[in-house]
Amino acid sequence: MKTIQVQLGQRSYPIHIKSGLFKNFPDLLMETNHGQKWIIISQHGLMELFGFELMAKLKEQSFNIDYISVPMGEAAKSMKEFSNVMSQLTEFECDRSTTVLALGGGVVGDLAGFAASTFMRGIEYFQIPTTLLAMVDSSIGGKTGINIAQGKNMIGTFYQPKGVLIDPDFLNTLHRNEVIAGLGEVVKYGAIWDADFLQEISDWLDDIVSFPFEKAVKRSCKIKAEIISLDERESGLRRLLNFGHTIGHALESYLGYGRIRHGEAIAHGMQCSGWISERLNLLSKEDADYLNITINKLPLPKIKNIHGNNLMSFIKMDKKSEKGILNFVVLKGLGKAAISIDVSEKMLQQSLKVLH
Ligand SMILES: NC(=O)c1ccc[n+]([C@@H]2O[C@H](COP(=O)([O-])OP(=O)(O)OC[C@H]3O[C@@H](n4cnc5c(N)ncnc54)[C@H](O)[C@@H]3O)[C@@H](O)[C@H]2O)c1
Ligand SMILES: [Zn+2]
């Protein structure tokens, strides 16, 4: 088992990663069991796949455990579902000692983490990610949240879990397109932080069927943990994790949520950002091409008929556009991300041509 530590003083926590780790979850959770109430927050399909088995295993070890099921999709990250979770926690007679297990993808993780951070002013929770995106990204770093009509993730907290338990074998049942989308974030880690890793990913993508997920998850988590340990609240370094996200978020909003997956949108966003970095003379043509070729190895949905003007309003709304200045993540070389404030509207619009 590989254990990576997120170093945040008293709020430090481990990320345990290993194929087949599922069967060891009770052992890993045992030391935090003091007879309190445990609640799995998950979705029905995931309870059928993994949750009921986990509950049975934990009950065998005398855990006092129940579960709460939330709907599938982004709709679960709503005030209504948040309120439902709060009511159910109360009905189960949960108290300040209760521990939550967030079993699912980013949707479950964000909602369950937010619920844990607010129920009785905060109770402990573990992230048990089941999608690739959640394994390498959303389960680490303590960003929790829900959506309101005015925007995605508008309400939320920074609230670190007690630990993250990752079994890459969970990916065996995940829809292929969800896996591909998660790979977008994996490519991002190589692009912003580790050129050797990017090269490995690029080679692995030549034979996607034998992609070594366990290895890739470990490396990605290590990078994210390192960045979070240095900048928990996104005041500097953590912003680099937004590489590809300014344009990616705009594509998601413009096309409509559900039309394009987050990881797919940011993969396209990274292609545009590569082009912009080259245009700013920060990235060589050779390196920009390499990034592009790597991303093109992912079978992404084709983007048609995007006019720069249509995207601009979404880009302006992006919260990274602070006080009128767009903090845009560029590459100063493969594996070396930086913030640029020199990216013009025109450049953003022109960059979209790499998607056609
Ligand atoms: N907190 C953060 O730092 C952070 C970072 C990135 C994204 N996010 C959030 O994550 C969310 C997206 O998460 P996601 O991409 O994991 O999507 P998701 O949670 O909606 O999961 C995708 C689908 O796959 C199903 N599923 C999950 N695991 C499965 C498995 N092992 N086998 C079969 N089916 C499985 C789910 O039930 C769901 O239908 C967004 O709401 C986004 O805002 C948060
Ligand atoms: Zn992302």
Side-chain angles (χ1 to χ4, degrees), residues 5-139:
Q5 199 70 15
V6 180
Q7 303 283 5
L8 291 169
Q10 287 191 333
R11 284 170 293 108
S12 296
Y13 57 95
I15 306 166
H16 300 297
I17 310 166
K18 190 175 165 268
S19 283
L21 192 67
F22 183 46
K23 63 177 183 303
N24 303 114
F25 284 0
D27 308 333
L28 292 165
L29 296 171
M30 191 69 92
E31 64 182 77
T32 8
N33 187 24
H34 313 294
Q36 78 274 35
K37 183 96 202 164
W38 291 71
I39 298 288
I40 297 178
I41 299 184
S42 193
Q43 291 158 326
H44 181 71
L46 295 175
M47 284 306 295
E48 295 275 348
L49 282 171
F50 321 112
F52 291 125
E53 194 180 334
L54 177 60
M55 256 177 90
K57 281 184 172 149
L58 290 172
K59 275 186 177 163
E60 264 171 36
Q61 306 285 332
S62 310
F63 281 65
N64 174 6
I65 184 154
D66 266 296
Y67 79 100
I68 294 174
S69 185
V70 302
M72 306 266 271
E74 204 55 39
K77 282 175 57 176
S78 66
M79 282 288 197
K80 177 170 162 262
E81 292 307 326
F82 168 69
S83 169
N84 277 340
V85 169
M86 289 290 137
S87 305
Q88 289 186 66
L89 288 171
T90 316
E91 278 159 27
F92 281 126
E93 296 181 351
C94 293
D95 59 25
R96 293 187 71 178
S97 70
T98 297
T99 308
V100 164
L101 300 176
L103 175 72
V107 161
V108 167
D110 280 10
L111 172 64
F114 183 58
S117 76
T118 45
F119 185 75
M120 297 200 167
R121 299 201 175 82
I123 57 175
E124 289 183 347
Y125 77 114
F126 286 82
Q127 288 281 10
I128 307 182
T130 60
T131 63
L132 182 56
L133 177 123
M135 289 178 190
V136 300
D137 193 359
S138 59
S139 68

Side-chain angles (χ1 to χ4, degrees), residues 43-46 49-50 71-74 77 103-110 127 129-135 137-145 147 152-153 169-175 178 181-182 185 188 224 238 245 249 252 261-263:
Q43 291 158 326
H44 181 71
L46 295 175
L49 282 171
F50 321 112
M72 306 266 271
E74 204 55 39
K77 282 175 57 176
L103 175 72
V107 161
V108 167
D110 280 10
Q127 288 281 10
T130 60
T131 63
L132 182 56
L133 177 123
M135 289 178 190
D137 193 359
S138 59
S139 68
I140 308 162
K143 275 192 190 176
T144 80
N147 310 322
K152 216 167 119 66
N153 300 323
D169 287 354
F170 282 162
L171 301 178
N172 296 338
T173 50
L174 187 63
H175 194 284
E178 296 290 349
E185 298 280 2
K188 180 189 81 179
K224 180 139 189 194
R238 189 169 180 170
H245 281 59
H249 284 154
E252 280 183 286
R261 290 177 175 81
H262 173 75

Side-chain angles (χ1 to χ4, degrees), residues 135-198:
M135 289 178 190
V136 300
D137 193 359
S138 59
S139 68
I140 308 162
K143 275 192 190 176
T144 80
I146 57 173
N147 310 322
I148 50 174
Q150 288 76 6
K152 216 167 119 66
N153 300 323
M154 287 286 278
I155 298 183
T157 51
F158 281 100
Y159 192 69
Q160 302 295 343
K162 202 62 193 145
V164 184
L165 310 182
I166 304 183
D167 183 347
D169 287 354
F170 282 162
L171 301 178
N172 296 338
T173 50
L174 187 63
H175 194 284
R176 185 172 180 272
N177 293 345
E178 296 290 349
V179 176
I180 305 290
L183 285 173
E185 298 280 2
V186 173
V187 170
K188 180 189 81 179
Y189 289 113
I192 63 165
W193 205 252
D194 184 342
D196 293 340
F197 184 34
L198 182 66

